[in-house]
Amino acid sequence: FLSVVSTTWHGNDDDVYRAPPIDRALLPTAPRAAREPNIDRSRLPKSPPYTAFLGNLPYDVTEESIKDFFRGLNISAVRLPREPTNPERLKGFGYAEFEDIDSLFQALSLNEE
């Protein structure tokens, strides 16, 4: 929905003053959490594996904490790559695999959470 609104004021001598139009499409209308996720379903895989990239993870994250974060979704696997020179240290990213496309879609809608 796009609308452009202009405001008009009338002075004492009936001169008309116009404010610049307000493009309401640029104004926030709802908190991000209340908006529809901005995910193009046509770019999602049509068949398994349904995998989401998980970026900017803390180095102490665990597979269990990832599964807990996606609680309620059909998550089938979590992969957390480790540094080859230090197998104790995670690389800070990972992958979560989901059993169905709807779970992947819901997971992607949690972006920036």
Side-chain angles (χ1 to χ4, degrees):
F1 177 74
L2 171 67
S3 75
V4 178
V5 176
S6 130
T7 308
T8 305
W9 294 276
H10 295 278
N12 290 342
D13 54 1
D14 221 18
D15 289 338
V16 176
Y17 302 98
R18 293 192 184 273
I22 299 168
D23 184 353
R24 293 191 183 268
L26 300 175
L27 299 175
T29 57
R32 185 181 335 164
R35 294 185 213 149
E36 278 290 311
N38 187 16
I39 300 166
D40 182 359
R41 279 191 175 262
S42 70
R43 297 189 64 185
L44 296 180
K46 304 295 183 232
S47 59
Y50 302 111
T51 305
F53 173 78
L54 309 174
N56 201 25
L57 295 175
Y59 293 114
D60 61 348
V61 72
T62 64
E63 288 183 22
E64 288 306 312
S65 63
I66 298 291
K67 289 178 180 177
D68 188 48
F69 178 79
F70 291 119
R71 181 180 49 247
L73 303 181
N74 296 322
I75 190 166
S76 56
V78 175
R79 293 188 313 273
L80 300 171
R82 299 181 178 276
E83 293 288 346
T85 57
N86 182 0
E88 298 296 315
R89 183 178 166 99
L90 297 174
K91 287 189 172 185
F93 67 89
Y95 303 91
E97 190 173 311
F98 297 90
E99 294 176 12
D100 55 73
I101 192 72
D102 290 331
S103 290
L104 173 62
F105 181 80
Q106 289 177 23
L108 294 174
S109 69
L110 297 172
N111 190 28
E112 297 183 28
E113 291 294 321

